[in-house]
């Protein structure tokens, strides 16, 4: 890694650490504060991709994955009221979702980078965010994937409730996933502004 990539590396590490801390604090009924910080990992990846290329973006993603893994391992050792702050299923889901979604984002961005400036970051982030949400919540909480770690009790996530409090009946984890996905998609749109500003400054022809 070169010093050129250091700002991206530090930004990604900061977002991952902050998100792992803030996920412990609820925001309303369906979200945590971490839901508002984590999506900016896609912004970091896309800026690195636009300015330095896909290879640099993948390096930053790998750093984020390692930092997230360390945070998860620490979380599994901290006991809360109902057990470890991070269960094995959450740790696996978090790692798999981050790596798969971010690398997919890098590949899609690279394929679309020749078009309008907004197309690559928007489409890659929308698809990456969708995959991230599906993988994380499916692995961490879905009853269908209980074989990932049978000892993890996720019965609370399977409680049947109105979707987001007013829709058809669905497991609680589906409402959590849908709310998280909606935040990711909203931030994907908002993040186009800093993406344009940062890349224009670092790369005048962006």
């Amino acid at each position: 890694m070169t010093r050129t990539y250091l700002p991206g590396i530090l930004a990604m590490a900061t977002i991952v650490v902050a998100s792992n801390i803030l996920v412990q604090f609820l925001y309303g009924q369906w979200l945590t504060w971490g839901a508002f910080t984590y999506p900016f990992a896609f912004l970091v990846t896309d800026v690195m991709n636009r300015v330095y290329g896909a290879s640099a973006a993948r390096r930053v993603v790998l750093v984020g994955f390692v930092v997230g893994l360390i945070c998860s391992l620490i979380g599994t050792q901290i006991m809360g009221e109902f057990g470890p702050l991070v269960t094995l299923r959450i740790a696996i889901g978090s790692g798999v979702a981050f790596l798969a979604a971010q690398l997919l984002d890098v590949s899609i961005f690279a394929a679309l980078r020749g078009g309008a400036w907004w197309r690559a970051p928007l489409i890659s982030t929308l698809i990456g965010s969708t995959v991230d949400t599906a993988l994380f919540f499916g692995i961490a909480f879905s009853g269908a994937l209980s074989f990932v770690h049978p000892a993890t009790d996720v019965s609370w996530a399977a409680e049947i409730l109105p979707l987001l409090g007013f829709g058809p009946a669905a497991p609680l984890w589906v409402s959590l996933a849908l709310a998280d996905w909606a935040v990711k998609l909203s931030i994907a749109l908002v993040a186009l502004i800093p993406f344009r500003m940062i890349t224009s400054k670092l790369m005048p022809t962006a």
Side-chain angles (χ1 to χ4, degrees):
M1 304 247 182
T2 67
R3 291 183 181 180
T4 303
Y5 304 157
L6 189 58
I9 292 170
L10 293 177
M12 180 65 81
T14 299
I15 290 170
V16 171
V17 171
S19 298
N20 275 272
I21 294 172
L22 293 174
V23 75
Q24 309 299 326
F25 302 96
L26 293 175
Y27 177 84
Q29 190 173 359
W30 314 108
L31 296 166
T32 69
W33 281 103
F36 297 95
T37 55
Y38 174 75
F40 286 99
F42 289 97
L43 171 62
V44 174
T45 302
D46 290 347
V47 168
M48 293 299 295
N49 204 336
R50 172 67 76 188
V51 178
Y52 302 112
S55 178
R58 291 189 184 97
R59 292 183 183 183
V60 171
V61 167
L62 291 177
V63 170
F65 173 74
V66 171
V67 172
L69 184 61
I70 293 171
C71 289
S72 292
L73 291 176
I74 293 174
T76 61
Q77 303 305 308
I78 300 175
M79 299 303 293
E81 183 179 355
F82 302 104
L85 291 182
V86 178
T87 66
L88 184 58
R89 282 186 65 174
I90 288 177
I92 294 173
S94 178
V96 170
F98 179 87
L99 195 59
Q102 292 290 330
L103 291 179
L104 179 61
D105 176 279
V106 173
S107 296
I108 294 174
F109 189 106
L112 299 176
R113 67 182 303 123
W117 71 267
W118 55 266
R119 190 174 68 166
L122 181 60
I123 295 177
S124 64
T125 298
L126 292 179
I127 295 175
S129 296
T130 301
V131 170
D132 183 277
T133 300
L135 286 176
F136 172 72
F137 284 93
I139 294 172
F141 303 120
S142 172
L145 296 178
S146 59
F147 63 84
V148 172
H149 187 234
T152 300
D153 181 14
V154 293
S155 57
W156 62 270
E159 182 181 1
I160 303 299
L161 297 168
L163 187 66
L164 294 176
F166 60 85
L172 170 60
W173 71 267
V174 176
S175 289
L176 299 177
L178 188 59
D180 181 83
W181 183 59
V183 170
K184 286 190 177 82
L185 298 191
S186 298
I187 291 179
L189 293 173
V190 173
L192 288 175
I193 298 173
F195 173 85
R196 183 60 170 172
M197 293 173 63
I198 295 170
T199 55
S200 294
K201 183 175 182 179
L202 297 177
M203 186 179 173
T205 58

